[in-house]
Amino acid sequence: MNWCYSIMTAEPRDPQIVATMTALGEAARAAATVLAATTGAQRNAALAAAAAAIRDRSTAIIEANGKDMAAAKQRGLSGAMLDRLMLDDARVEAMATGIETIIELHDPLGRVLDEWERPNGLRIQRVAVPLGVIGIIYESRPNVTADAAAVCIKWGHAVILRGGSESFHSSTAIHQCLCAGLESAGLPADAVQMVPTTDRAAVGFLLSSMAEWVDVVVPRGGKSLIKRVQDEARVPVIGHLEGICHVYVHEEADPETACKVSLNAKMRRTGICGAAETLLIDRSVADRIVPFVCGALRDAGCEIRGDEAVCALFPDAVPAREEDWSTEYLDAIIAVRLVDGIDAAIEHIRRYGSGHTESIITDDDQAAEQFFRDVDSSIVLQNASTQFADGGEFGFGAEIGIATGRIHARGPVGADQLTSYKYVVRGSGQVRP
């Protein structure tokens, strides 16, 4: 997560953009005030109705997605980007199921995080409260519309959604289901709003001129989008710039585990931020691990970009360049390097990583503990795929993103992470001397 401010952002001059975004902000702030005073049962009822609406309108959602897919293919989007954009029956059902998972989470509002009593008799509680209004800017994946909005509703936040132009029709259809759910529960539909234009000036106004209404912005998308948000925002930003994730095969790794985990970490879904981009292998086991693991990756359709030693052991590899070690491919490409032990692997990750997710494959728990201690990323794993970098897989329900900073939220950002707190102090007439 990064808390970023800018004094150099120029506001858009289009009066229609200003009017539209101002109206969204005012409505969101009013809705946030209402939501903060609701019961958990009310918010859960809205979520249940939204999940039902998504199922009932699945045909309309998929038809809307078909328009987006056709336009995306015409624009020449990559296979990975098309995969992120595509919705089918299973993915629509996953959206509805994800919302229902969030319903099962505890009611976060009013939760006492800590309490104590002072010698003077004052009783102090730290109580969880919503952040208020959240702006979420995202690209390609229309399921983010449902996931992010549901997390925000559960936590009592109002949200302003700005999806990518490539998913506009899909996101609009999903947004209508969310509004229907809110209205059926007697809650304001303005609690979940979508920016009704694909004009980039609307994003600029949201980042630079809506601090009066928006409390935090969450970007989800490619490097250029997130960099723009971090550079231009005058409100706090939660997010990560890149997902340069590593799998490190330690000398005490089980070869079958190394192969299975590496293949899943790279190829399960190549276009997500938790996909592995670099594979590090201990030189001491390279003779048996490199042909085995790289062969499985190649057979699955992955291009191997290896250092000189990897290319010698696996002739199908393409020679890696320096920039490959710091590239987020989001595609069926992986960079492979041999390292001289765990210290060298940790140093490589420290130099080239983005602080997202790293996995060590080893049966040596002492080595795993060193990896956990010395790798300063938001998520570290042992003998598990980097694609578990997901709020749902952590039991958080849906997430709105991965945070890689060190302040406030870190790792998957779900309902519990989207919180602030206030102090409630109860006395019996105490005054300060």
Coordinates of all heavy atoms in Angstrom, one line a residue, residues 365-401:
D365 N 12.4 -27.3 6.9 CA 11.6 -26.3 7.6 C 12.5 -25.1 8.1 O 12.1 -24.0 8.2 CB 10.8 -26.8 8.8 CG 9.7 -27.7 8.3 OD1 9.3 -27.6 7.1 OD2 9.2 -28.5 9.1
Q366 N 13.8 -25.4 8.4 CA 14.7 -24.4 8.9 C 15.0 -23.4 7.7 O 15.0 -22.2 7.9 CB 16.0 -25.0 9.4 CG 16.9 -24.0 10.0 CD 18.2 -24.6 10.6 OE1 18.2 -25.8 10.8 NE2 19.1 -23.8 11.0
A367 N 15.1 -24.0 6.5 CA 15.3 -23.1 5.3 C 14.1 -22.3 5.1 O 14.2 -21.1 4.7 CB 15.7 -24.0 4.1
A368 N 12.9 -22.9 5.2 CA 11.7 -22.1 5.0 C 11.6 -21.0 6.0 O 11.1 -19.9 5.7 CB 10.5 -23.1 5.2
E369 N 12.0 -21.2 7.3 CA 11.9 -20.2 8.3 C 12.8 -19.0 7.9 O 12.5 -17.8 8.1 CB 12.2 -20.7 9.7 CG 11.1 -21.6 10.2 CD 9.8 -21.0 10.3 OE1 9.7 -19.8 10.7 OE2 8.8 -21.6 10.0
Q370 N 14.0 -19.3 7.4 CA 14.9 -18.3 7.0 C 14.3 -17.5 5.8 O 14.4 -16.2 5.8 CB 16.2 -18.8 6.5 CG 17.2 -17.8 6.0 CD 18.5 -18.3 5.5 OE1 18.8 -19.5 5.6 NE2 19.3 -17.5 4.8
F371 N 13.7 -18.2 4.9 CA 13.0 -17.5 3.8 C 11.9 -16.6 4.3 O 11.8 -15.4 3.8 CB 12.4 -18.6 2.8 CG 11.9 -18.1 1.5 CD1 12.8 -17.9 0.4 CD2 10.6 -17.9 1.3 CE1 12.3 -17.5 -0.8 CE2 10.1 -17.5 0.1 CZ 11.0 -17.3 -1.0
F372 N 11.1 -17.1 5.2 CA 10.0 -16.3 5.7 C 10.5 -15.0 6.4 O 9.9 -14.0 6.3 CB 9.2 -17.1 6.7 CG 8.4 -18.2 6.1 CD1 7.9 -19.3 6.9 CD2 8.1 -18.3 4.8 CE1 7.2 -20.3 6.4 CE2 7.4 -19.3 4.2 CZ 6.9 -20.4 5.1
R373 N 11.6 -15.2 7.1 CA 12.2 -14.1 7.9 C 12.8 -13.0 7.0 O 12.7 -11.8 7.3 CB 13.2 -14.6 8.9 CG 13.8 -13.6 9.8 CD 14.9 -14.1 10.7 NE 16.1 -14.5 9.8 CZ 16.7 -15.7 9.8 NH1 16.2 -16.7 10.5 NH2 17.7 -15.9 9.0
D374 N 13.5 -13.5 6.0 CA 14.4 -12.5 5.3 C 13.8 -12.0 4.0 O 14.3 -11.0 3.4 CB 15.7 -13.2 4.9 CG 16.5 -13.5 6.2 OD1 16.2 -13.0 7.2 OD2 17.5 -14.4 6.1
V375 N 12.7 -12.6 3.5 CA 12.0 -12.1 2.3 C 10.9 -11.1 2.7 O 10.0 -11.5 3.4 CB 11.5 -13.3 1.4 CG1 10.6 -12.7 0.3 CG2 12.6 -14.1 0.9
D376 N 11.1 -9.9 2.3 CA 10.2 -8.8 2.8 C 9.1 -8.6 1.8 O 9.0 -7.5 1.1 CB 11.0 -7.5 3.1 CG 10.1 -6.5 3.7 OD1 9.0 -6.8 4.3 OD2 10.4 -5.3 3.6
S377 N 8.3 -9.6 1.5 CA 7.1 -9.5 0.6 C 5.9 -9.6 1.4 O 5.9 -10.1 2.6 CB 7.2 -10.5 -0.5 OG 8.3 -10.3 -1.3
S378 N 4.8 -9.2 0.8 CA 3.5 -9.2 1.6 C 3.0 -10.6 1.9 O 2.3 -10.8 2.8 CB 2.4 -8.4 0.8 OG 2.1 -9.0 -0.4
I379 N 3.4 -11.6 1.0 CA 3.0 -12.9 1.2 C 4.2 -13.8 0.9 O 4.8 -13.7 -0.2 CB 1.8 -13.3 0.2 CG1 0.6 -12.4 0.4 CG2 1.4 -14.8 0.4 CD1 -0.5 -12.6 -0.7
V380 N 4.5 -14.8 1.8 CA 5.5 -15.8 1.6 C 4.9 -17.1 1.9 O 4.1 -17.3 2.8 CB 6.8 -15.5 2.4 CG1 7.5 -14.3 1.9 CG2 6.4 -15.3 3.9
L381 N 5.3 -18.1 1.1 CA 4.7 -19.5 1.2 C 5.8 -20.5 1.2 O 6.9 -20.3 0.6 CB 3.7 -19.7 0.0 CG 2.6 -18.7 -0.3 CD1 3.0 -17.9 -1.5 CD2 1.3 -19.4 -0.6
Q382 N 5.4 -21.7 1.7 CA 6.3 -22.9 1.6 C 5.5 -24.0 0.9 O 4.4 -24.3 1.4 CB 6.7 -23.4 3.0 CG 7.6 -24.6 2.9 CD 7.9 -25.2 4.3 OE1 7.4 -24.7 5.3 NE2 8.7 -26.2 4.4
N383 N 6.0 -24.5 -0.1 CA 5.4 -25.7 -0.8 C 4.0 -25.4 -1.3 O 3.1 -26.3 -1.2 CB 5.5 -26.9 0.0 CG 6.9 -27.4 0.3 OD1 7.8 -27.1 -0.5 ND2 7.1 -28.1 1.4
A384 N 3.7 -24.2 -1.8 CA 2.4 -23.8 -2.2 C 2.5 -22.8 -3.3 O 3.5 -22.0 -3.4 CB 1.6 -23.3 -1.1
S385 N 1.5 -22.8 -4.2 CA 1.5 -21.9 -5.4 C 1.4 -20.5 -5.0 O 0.6 -20.1 -4.1 CB 0.4 -22.4 -6.3 OG 0.2 -21.4 -7.4
T386 N 2.0 -19.6 -5.7 CA 1.9 -18.2 -5.6 C 0.4 -17.7 -5.9 O 0.0 -16.6 -5.5 CB 2.9 -17.4 -6.4 OG1 2.7 -17.7 -7.8 CG2 4.3 -17.7 -6.0
Q387 N -0.3 -18.5 -6.7 CA -1.6 -18.2 -7.0 C -2.6 -18.2 -5.9 O -3.8 -17.9 -6.0 CB -2.1 -19.0 -8.2 CG -1.2 -18.8 -9.4 CD -1.9 -18.6 -10.7 OE1 -3.2 -18.6 -10.8 NE2 -1.2 -18.4 -11.8
F388 N -2.2 -18.6 -4.7 CA -3.0 -18.5 -3.5 C -3.0 -17.1 -2.9 O -3.6 -16.8 -1.9 CB -2.5 -19.5 -2.4 CG -2.9 -20.9 -2.6 CD1 -2.0 -21.9 -3.0 CD2 -4.2 -21.3 -2.4 CE1 -2.4 -23.2 -3.3 CE2 -4.7 -22.6 -2.7 CZ -3.7 -23.5 -3.1
A389 N -2.3 -16.2 -3.6 CA -2.3 -14.8 -3.2 C -3.7 -14.2 -3.6 O -3.8 -13.4 -4.6 CB -1.2 -14.0 -3.9
D390 N -4.6 -14.4 -2.8 CA -6.0 -14.1 -3.1 C -6.8 -14.0 -1.8 O -6.7 -14.9 -0.9 CB -6.6 -15.1 -4.0 CG -8.1 -14.8 -4.4 OD1 -8.3 -14.1 -5.3 OD2 -8.9 -15.3 -3.6
G391 N -7.6 -13.0 -1.6 CA -8.4 -12.9 -0.4 C -9.3 -14.0 -0.1 O -9.5 -14.5 1.0
G392 N -10.0 -14.5 -1.2 CA -10.9 -15.7 -1.0 C -10.1 -16.9 -0.5 O -10.6 -17.6 0.3
E393 N -8.9 -17.1 -1.0 CA -8.1 -18.3 -0.6 C -7.6 -18.1 0.8 O -7.3 -19.1 1.5 CB -7.0 -18.5 -1.6 CG -7.4 -18.9 -3.0 CD -8.1 -20.2 -3.0 OE1 -7.9 -21.1 -2.2 OE2 -9.0 -20.3 -3.9
F394 N -7.5 -16.9 1.3 CA -7.1 -16.6 2.7 C -8.3 -16.7 3.7 O -8.1 -16.5 4.9 CB -6.5 -15.3 2.8 CG -5.0 -15.3 2.4 CD1 -4.5 -15.9 1.3 CD2 -4.1 -14.6 3.2 CE1 -3.2 -15.9 1.0 CE2 -2.8 -14.5 2.9 CZ -2.3 -15.2 1.8
G395 N -9.5 -16.9 3.1 CA -10.7 -16.9 4.0 C -11.3 -15.6 4.3 O -12.1 -15.4 5.2
F396 N -10.8 -14.6 3.5 CA -11.3 -13.2 3.7 C -12.6 -12.9 2.9 O -13.2 -11.8 3.0 CB -10.3 -12.2 3.2 CG -9.0 -12.2 3.9 CD1 -7.9 -11.4 3.5 CD2 -8.9 -12.9 5.1 CE1 -6.7 -11.4 4.1 CE2 -7.7 -12.8 5.8 CZ -6.6 -12.1 5.3
G397 N -13.1 -13.9 2.2 CA -14.2 -13.6 1.2 C -13.5 -13.0 0.0 O -12.3 -13.2 -0.3
A398 N -14.2 -12.2 -0.8 CA -13.7 -11.5 -1.9 C -12.7 -10.4 -1.4 O -12.7 -10.0 -0.3 CB -14.8 -10.9 -2.8
E399 N -11.8 -10.1 -2.3 CA -10.8 -9.0 -2.0 C -11.0 -7.9 -3.0 O -11.6 -8.0 -4.1 CB -9.4 -9.5 -2.1 CG -9.1 -10.0 -3.5 CD -7.6 -10.2 -3.7 OE1 -7.0 -10.8 -2.9 OE2 -7.1 -9.8 -4.8
I400 N -10.4 -6.7 -2.7 CA -10.4 -5.7 -3.7 C -9.0 -5.4 -4.2 O -8.8 -4.6 -5.0 CB -10.9 -4.4 -3.1 CG1 -10.1 -3.8 -1.9 CG2 -12.4 -4.5 -2.7 CD1 -10.4 -2.4 -1.6
G401 N -8.0 -6.2 -3.7 CA -6.7 -6.1 -4.3 C -5.6 -6.6 -3.3 O -5.9 -7.1 -2.2

